[in-house]
Amino acid sequence: MSGSFSPIVKNNSNLGKKGIVWLMMLFMVLNLLPVDIYLPAVQLIATDLNTSVDNVQLGIFFYLISMGVGQLFLGALSDKYGRKPIALVSLFVYILASTLATISTNLETLIASRLIQGIGACGCAVTALAVVRDLFDEDESAKIYSILNGAQSIVPALAPLLGGLISVQLGWRYCFALLVVLGAMTFIFTKFKMGETNQSVKLQSLDSGKSSRIGNTGGESNTNPPESSPKESNKSFRYILSHANFTPNAIASMASMAFIVQYVVKSPVLLIDNLGLTPTEFSLVFGSNAFLIMFAAFCATKLIGLSSARATCNLGLLLMMVSSAMFFVEPNPNSLTQYLVFLSIGSFGFSFSLGSSIGMALAPFPECAGKASSVLGFLQFTVTSIVGIIVGYYFPSGAMSLAITVPAFALTSVLLGQYLHNTRVVKG
């Protein structure tokens, strides 16, 4: 039933539906916080470590790439061993890496800490996506993914301001010290409050008699057959990628990620270098758009309820392509108003398409949600980042890389989806 927990999850969880969603929101916030909180401190870090700003900025791409690669392994492990153990291990790695960043004395150590930190963060992302898929159906999952997207938008809204304040008052190392504290608090809460949502793992535990906390003395759990067999839970990456429902929707989510990554990377150039905004003014504009994305994410949940995840996703792709066309015509907007108009249209498209596309991509894989989430994360973070670097190298002017990558992914998603639909109709 839409939006309700299964009996096994009810018996095992110390959190209700709202508690689970809030915890997953925290997991998603921990993902982006290492990117945005240190943006205002980049110049300070470069000076302190005797290197260039460009070298310090490489940490963002290394972080995102390691997030994507790490998910390929952690997703499959969460299907086998459960969501909670992977979440705890990932949070522990996140804490260690943040500690290493805090005490870094050279660029090499800082970059290494960012690579490790990305692996820890990706475990949080895998857990959040897989837990939602464990508990809810396609439309309800799409709504919750939109909520998680809105929660992530809090980070670029507040993190740069917080990071700037901490860097000026205490020093840039305290930005990473804050991540240590937040990671430790989340670890403790997860350890004592989060229940296991992977029903296959819980059923195996019940069958072996090793779990005394779950179970229905009336035998209810044993009368409900497992939803997935070991064979089903071991679906290959090739099977996931070849699924007609996964790939088009995964590429749609890549269009959304390409938009937000390119926006984050290009905003300082467009606003500070081209339009002459001060760092404080930049933070205010950056934060204001983040709140717009939060509002758009709220609108997306309502739109999904009124129509469908598919219609919401398609509208989002259309809006991002309109925004991209504007940036293509004018890659260097000559006024703040023009820039905000271009960006606002794309931000609504981003919010409409990301949550709905993720929900639809993961819907066919209740038996291997962790592995499917990991493939999706790899495509979103690693592949999108690499494509962005390549396109940005050949088209460095203003927002031209955004104007090329976003519609390329969006059109590929639409055309591939239509082709696969027509193929199924013909076979049918």
Side-chain angles (χ1 to χ4, degrees):
M1 183 171 62
S2 177
S4 62
F5 289 127
S6 68
I8 289 180
V9 176
K10 282 183 178 178
N11 290 334
N12 185 45
S13 180
N14 293 320
L15 299 171
K17 173 183 175 181
K18 290 183 178 179
I20 286 289
V21 173
W22 276 102
L23 182 58
M24 297 308 102
M25 286 168 63
L26 182 56
F27 281 179
M28 299 304 284
V29 166
L30 289 177
N31 275 338
L32 287 185
L33 202 53
V35 174
D36 293 300
I37 198 170
Y38 95 136
L39 283 177
V42 167
Q43 183 62 59
L44 294 174
I45 296 173
T47 301
D48 192 29
L49 300 184
N50 193 28
T51 186
S52 68
V53 170
D54 289 340
N55 286 338
V56 176
Q57 287 281 48
L58 284 175
I60 294 178
F61 287 107
F62 282 115
Y63 175 82
L64 294 175
I65 290 171
S66 68
M67 274 192 67
V69 173
Q71 288 187 53
L72 290 177
F73 304 98
L74 294 178
L77 291 175
S78 76
D79 286 334
K80 183 175 182 180
Y81 298 107
R83 315 302 182 207
K84 184 174 181 177
I86 296 304
L88 291 174
V89 171
S90 299
L91 286 167
F92 184 70
V93 172
Y94 186 93
I95 295 167
L96 288 181
S98 300
T99 303
L100 180 61
T102 303
I103 61 175
S104 297
T105 58
N106 53 61
L107 178 66
E108 292 74 18
T109 304
L110 181 63
I111 294 296
S113 72
R114 301 293 277 167
L115 284 168
I116 300 170
Q117 193 179 47
I119 294 174
C122 79
C124 296
V126 164
T127 299
L129 296 180
V131 164
V132 173
R133 183 60 195 89
D134 287 339
L135 303 183
F136 304 102
D137 65 15
E138 179 177 323
D139 282 344
E140 189 72 12
S141 294
K143 293 179 184 179
I144 294 175
Y145 289 136
S146 294
I147 293 172
L148 298 183
N149 171 40
Q152 282 186 299
S153 300
I154 297 174
V155 178
L158 301 179
L161 294 173
L162 179 62
L165 179 64
I166 292 174
S167 299
V168 171
Q169 298 297 323
L170 301 174
W172 66 268
R173 297 180 189 277
Y174 283 86
C175 293
F176 291 102
L178 177 61
L179 299 181
V180 175
V181 174
L182 292 176
M185 292 173 59
T186 307
F187 180 93
I188 293 171
F189 189 83
T190 302
K191 172 68 176 177
F192 294 104
K193 289 295 184 179
M194 178 181 169
E196 180 56 61
T197 64
N198 187 333
Q199 296 189 36
S200 297
V201 172
K202 294 314 303 176
L203 284 168
Q204 292 171 10
S205 183
L206 283 170
D207 291 340
S208 63
K210 293 181 180 179
S211 177
S212 59
R213 293 180 59 196
I214 314 175
N216 189 318
T217 55
E220 178 183 343
S221 295
N222 290 331
T223 60
N224 291 330
E227 293 186 6
S228 59
S229 65
K231 181 178 180 180
E232 288 176 322
S233 63
N234 288 322
K235 296 293 187 184
S236 67
F237 291 126
R238 181 178 179 181
Y239 169 81
I240 295 170
L241 286 169
S242 63
H243 197 286
N245 205 57
F246 177 83
T247 303
N249 292 309
I251 297 175
S253 74
M254 292 170 70
S256 300
M257 289 303 299
F259 178 86
I260 206 67
V261 169
Q262 291 293 327
Y263 156 65
V264 170
V265 172
K266 294 298 182 179
S267 286
V269 176
L270 296 175
L271 295 177
I272 296 177
D273 295 347
N274 293 1
L275 297 180
L277 271 64
T278 66
T280 300
E281 291 170 338
F282 167 79
S283 296
L284 290 174
V285 172
F286 202 78
S288 297
N289 189 67
F291 282 112
L292 177 66
I293 291 175
M294 292 171 60
F295 173 72
F298 172 78
C299 294
T301 63
K302 299 299 182 182
L303 186 57
I304 291 170
L306 292 173
S307 55
S308 66
R310 168 56 57 201
T312 305
C313 179
N314 287 341
L315 177 58
L317 293 175
L318 176 62
L319 290 174
M320 285 194 296
M321 284 192 285
V322 170
S323 174
S324 299
M326 293 176 171
F327 276 119
F328 186 84
V329 174
E330 185 54 74
N332 292 285
N334 51 33
S335 70
L336 180 60
T337 300
Q338 188 181 51
Y339 170 81
L340 290 176
V341 170
F342 295 180
L343 180 64
S344 297
I345 295 172
S347 295
F348 267 91
F350 163 77
S351 296
F352 284 3
S353 62
L354 184 61
S356 53
S357 61
I358 291 174
M360 291 186 293
L362 299 182
F365 308 104
E367 74 281 357
C368 56
K371 184 177 288 187
S373 298
S374 71
V375 177
L376 184 63
F378 174 79
L379 295 174
Q380 286 179 330
F381 292 103
T382 302
V383 176
T384 300
S385 295
I386 292 173
V387 171
I389 292 173
I390 295 172
V391 175
Y393 176 81
Y394 287 102
F395 300 93
S397 175
M400 186 59 72
S401 56
L402 182 153
I404 293 174
T405 56
V406 174
F409 284 128
L411 288 173
T412 301
S413 169
V414 173
L415 294 175
L416 180 60
Q418 188 62 45
Y419 169 77
L420 293 175
H421 173 74
N422 293 338
T423 301
R424 288 197 298 269
V425 170
V426 172
K427 289 183 177 180

